[in-house]
Amino acid sequence: MTQLRSLLEGAQGLLIDRRHFEPSGLERTFVIRINEGAAASLTPALVRRIAAEAPNIVIRCFVEGNEDVESLRNGTIDLDVGADPLSSSDVCSEILYRERHVGLVAKSSPLARSAQPSLAQLCEHPHVSTSRRGRTHGPIDDALAAVGLRRRVIAVVAALVAAALMAADSDLVALVPERLARYFAARLEVAWFAVPTELPAVIIHQQWHGRLDHDPAHRWLRGHVREASV
């Protein structure tokens, strides 16, 4: 079934007049596999943009889990948006943005009073860690160990959004991508701050199969994903 969908989409792309492409008349479902942190901060703007131009488009998102190339090849998904590049000669890729991890706490936390608490101050408060594999150790722990410090992780969750919500409703510290922190700070009683050490940057890509590279509808979708990421 997925191979048939892929063939039909390829045929549909050939039939669309590239010179007179009108998204308003398009009826199509785009399936996007997306990093759940990016989904929270990116998809609201994306869906608003798409709906304004093409009311008959459906955006179906699901979170990462099995970041395989085959799902792009066989048409199971149309677009992959996430931090893990897929190394394959038949997959096209574009960097959408780079960002850093920041600390997120409830506004009632003492850490919310500083634009950049020290590493020692971070270790005075319990942490919630994010790991799909249930790990309590991450890059921040290596940075802390290098200066003789250690944080206390009392909870581990699989999703960044869950970690952010836990921080909002407790005395926990969550480390999340800055865009997600900004998104929640505008909507919840939380504050975010810079972490005073070098942590690996988060690089978010959008990736698609080469057969869709020149498909007008898919190029239009990618353009909106790009603009929603600004």
Side-chain angles (χ1 to χ4, degrees), residues 39-57:
S41 58
L42 187 154
T43 53
L46 174 64
V47 170
R48 285 195 301 270
R49 298 180 65 91
I50 295 291
E53 287 190 22
N56 295 319
I57 290 291

Side-chain angles (χ1 to χ4, degrees), residues 16 94 130 163 200 205:
I16 294 174
E94 175 187 6
T130 306
H205 308 75

Side-chain angles (χ1 to χ4, degrees), residues 103-127:
L104 187 74
V105 293
K107 280 190 175 178
S108 58
S109 169
L111 293 174
R113 304 187 192 112
S114 174
Q116 184 173 292
S118 67
L119 291 178
Q121 287 174 313
L122 278 184
C123 294
E124 293 172 359
H125 301 266
H127 286 237

Side-chain angles (χ1 to χ4, degrees), residues 7-226:
L7 290 172
L8 289 173
E9 285 177 351
Q12 183 184 29
L14 291 173
L15 291 172
I16 294 174
D17 187 334
R18 288 173 171 78
R19 294 169 300 174
H20 304 289
F21 171 63
E22 287 291 341
S24 60
L26 197 63
E27 294 186 14
R28 186 163 167 179
T29 296
F30 287 110
V31 182
I32 302 176
R33 179 173 62 200
I34 186 167
N35 170 293
E36 56 92 17
S41 58
L42 187 154
T43 53
L46 174 64
V47 170
R48 285 195 301 270
R49 298 180 65 91
I50 295 291
E53 287 190 22
N56 295 319
I57 290 291
V58 176
I59 301 296
R60 185 162 71 87
C61 297
F62 66 93
V63 297
E64 297 172 312
N66 181 21
E67 291 76 57
D68 63 315
V69 175
E70 190 58 34
S71 54
L72 285 172
R73 290 188 180 128
N74 64 27
T76 302
I77 64 170
D78 298 293
L79 194 65
D80 181 282
V81 178
D84 298 320
L86 302 170
S87 299
S88 180
S89 60
D90 57 346
V91 171
C92 303
S93 180
E94 175 187 6
I95 292 177
L96 293 172
Y97 58 86
R98 295 175 172 86
E99 64 178 336
R100 60 180 176 168
H101 276 89
V102 299
L104 187 74
V105 293
K107 280 190 175 178
S108 58
S109 169
L111 293 174
R113 304 187 192 112
S114 174
Q116 184 173 292
S118 67
L119 291 178
Q121 287 174 313
L122 278 184
C123 294
E124 293 172 359
H125 301 266
H127 286 237
V128 52
S129 180
T130 306
S131 169
R132 285 186 293 174
R133 297 176 178 84
R135 296 171 179 168
T136 59
H137 191 93
I140 182 64
D141 299 287
D142 294 330
L144 290 171
V147 293
L149 295 172
R150 182 179 179 181
R151 65 174 179 160
R152 183 165 58 96
V153 175
I154 67 169
V156 183
V157 294
L160 289 164
V161 171
L165 292 174
M166 289 179 68
D169 197 35
S170 68
D171 60 348
L172 296 176
V173 179
L175 296 182
V176 301
E178 184 176 342
R179 285 179 177 234
L180 187 63
R182 289 180 179 274
Y183 180 84
F184 278 119
R187 292 160 177 81
L188 300 175
E189 290 296 307
V190 294
W192 65 272
F193 51 83
V195 178
T197 189
E198 287 293 326
L199 296 175
V202 180
I203 304 176
I204 300 297
H205 308 75
Q206 64 172 339
Q207 300 172 95
W208 62 96
H209 193 266
R211 74 176 185 282
L212 296 172
D213 196 33
H214 299 292
D215 176 278
H218 201 275
R219 293 182 69 176
W220 169 81
L221 170 69
R222 299 195 308 265
H224 275 301
V225 172
R226 186 184 308 116

